[in-house]
Amino acid sequence: FTTGELTGVIRQSKPFDTELLELKIIRVEKSSKIQEKSIHLKVERDKNIANTPLSFYNPGNYVIELYRDKDKLGEGKVEIKDVF
């Protein structure tokens, strides 16, 4: 992806069973990981899909981790490139 806005889609095999999820945006640089931001996302307890806008203005590799309280539900990776 290039720098800017994108929509993150979260889909789980089971209902979220909560009304609040946390997304942690982590930048990966060589052997270190730096948490850049944390997003609290309101969701419907009985649903298993949600979406949220995400902003990436610095090129690099990122890991997005999804949590329900302290339980890690999953993660995804994205590479952001500057094309200008």
Side-chain angles (χ1 to χ4, degrees), residues 15-70:
F16 294 126
D17 196 31
T18 187
E19 294 177 356
L20 190 66
L21 296 174
E22 180 181 13
L23 289 170
K24 294 182 181 180
I25 311 298
I26 301 164
R27 185 181 174 105
V28 180
E29 290 185 3
K30 298 180 183 172
S31 61
S32 65
K33 292 183 177 182
I34 303 158
Q35 184 174 330
E36 290 206 339
K37 67 176 101 170
S38 178
I39 300 169
H40 291 92
L41 177 63
K42 290 184 180 182
V43 295
E44 295 183 42
R45 179 177 293 278
D46 60 339
K47 301 291 183 180
N48 69 335
I49 190 166
N51 63 63
T52 187
L54 299 172
S55 302
F56 293 96
Y57 291 102
N58 296 314
N61 292 302
Y62 294 85
V63 174
I64 298 95
E65 297 178 343
L66 176 67
Y67 289 87
R68 177 183 56 218
D69 296 319
K70 300 287 182 192

Side-chain angles (χ1 to χ4, degrees), residues 1-6 27 56-62 78-84:
F1 294 96
T2 61
T3 56
E5 305 281 327
L6 60 92
R27 185 181 174 105
F56 293 96
Y57 291 102
N58 296 314
N61 292 302
Y62 294 85
V78 64
E79 181 180 359
I80 304 298
K81 294 184 177 184
D82 192 357
V83 293
F84 297 107

